Amino acid sequence: MAELAGLEDPKTREVNERHGDDHGVNLGKLRALAKRLKTQQELAYGLWETGDTAARLLATLVCRPKAFGRDELDAMVREARTPKVHDWLVNYVVKKNPHSEELRSAWIADPDPAVASAGWALTTERVAKKPEGLDLAGLLDVIEAEMKDAPERLQWAMNHCLAQIGIEHAEHRARAVDIGECLEVLKDYPTSPGCTSPFAPVWISEMVRRQHDAGR
């Protein structure tokens, strides 16, 4: 904790706080620290228990993802207060855990929008890598009905899933684009030069073009 405090930078904190993340540690330096510590499950538990955002981020990097029980991960995702901790927990830990599919099914309809967003993030991963058994048309039905009025973090997760369905599954592409155009979610989101817009119709079109150019 003392070492993390020593990495604290006021300017980094200022930038992070604009995105809801209450820490001032440069993520590159945090990753370097994790590389030095290597995997330490007990340390990860201790870091998580502090409740400190930087410590929890470090915990996701030094833990053993497969060592957590289902109920532990369920509790942790509900305790993950900030977007970055939530994101790293889902991507670096839950996705690599044997309970990930069970948790995906449970979380996607959770009344807590942050927890539901974790379920959608795991679903997006399956849409891209293991779509067998997923009801893609049914997912599009839910997105069409609920994404427009969903809270921000949940809306982003549903929008990512919508785009992924359109990118990876040609038979659902036209409908995915139509839903995006109809709902107009993130249509006016400011996008830096060289970056792809998160507006689903643009995102789908750009990624499909890249796949085509790459000969996929």
Side-chain angles (χ1 to χ4, degrees), residues 163-186:
Q164 203 71 54
I165 292 171
I167 292 163
E168 300 289 344
H169 301 279
E171 68 275 22
H172 296 286
R173 187 169 297 148
R175 187 179 174 211
V177 170
D178 284 347
I179 290 170
E181 288 176 345
C182 180
L183 299 183
E184 298 188 334
V185 167
L186 301 174

Side-chain angles (χ1 to χ4, degrees), residues 140 143 147 158-167 176 179-180 200 204:
L140 290 175
I143 291 168
M147 183 171 75
M158 294 175 90
N159 184 69
H160 190 181
C161 191
L162 172 66
Q164 203 71 54
I165 292 171
I167 292 163
I179 290 170
I204 292 166

Side-chain angles (χ1 to χ4, degrees), residues 4-161:
L4 284 172
L7 294 174
E8 177 77 21
D9 176 65
K11 289 183 180 176
T12 303
R13 178 175 283 273
E14 187 182 331
V15 172
N16 287 337
E17 284 185 341
R18 284 188 219 136
H19 303 101
D21 292 309
D22 56 349
H23 76 93
V25 179
N26 175 281
L27 296 181
K29 292 179 179 177
L30 192 75
R31 290 181 188 278
L33 176 57
K35 193 173 181 180
R36 196 185 84 222
L37 291 167
K38 298 187 171 65
T39 302
Q40 297 191 47
Q41 184 69 6
E42 289 309 311
L43 175 61
Y45 278 125
L47 289 166
W48 187 270
E49 287 304 314
T50 67
D52 177 80
T53 293
R56 285 186 163 183
L57 289 172
L58 184 59
T60 68
L61 298 176
V62 302
C63 73
R64 189 174 290 106
K66 293 179 180 177
F68 293 102
R70 179 204 180 283
D71 292 346
E72 282 181 306
L73 290 176
D74 185 69
M76 288 167 76
V77 86
R78 294 174 194 282
E79 293 168 4
R81 298 172 298 105
T82 64
K84 186 64 74 176
V85 170
H86 185 274
D87 182 48
W88 282 22
L89 177 64
V90 172
N91 285 292
Y92 299 161
V93 184
V94 180
K95 283 183 180 179
K96 300 174 183 177
N97 185 275
H99 300 289
S100 62
E101 177 58 22
E102 185 185 347
L103 289 167
R104 183 194 73 81
S105 300
W107 285 346
I108 198 166
D110 197 276
D112 182 329
V115 176
S117 74
W120 279 96
L122 294 171
T123 300
T124 301
E125 175 92 348
R126 271 203 61 189
V127 166
K129 296 183 177 178
K130 195 180 175 184
E132 298 80 13
L134 282 181
D135 178 6
L136 298 178
L139 289 172
L140 290 175
D141 288 343
V142 175
I143 291 168
E144 187 171 31
E146 299 178 13
M147 183 171 75
K148 181 81 171 178
D149 298 317
E152 184 180 19
R153 198 185 303 182
L154 177 55
Q155 187 181 69
W156 271 90
M158 294 175 90
N159 184 69
H160 190 181
C161 191

Side-chain angles (χ1 to χ4, degrees), residues 179-200:
I179 290 170
E181 288 176 345
C182 180
L183 299 183
E184 298 188 334
V185 167
L186 301 174
K187 184 176 183 178
D188 300 319
Y189 191 82
T191 306
S192 303
C195 295
T196 303
S197 168
F199 178 48

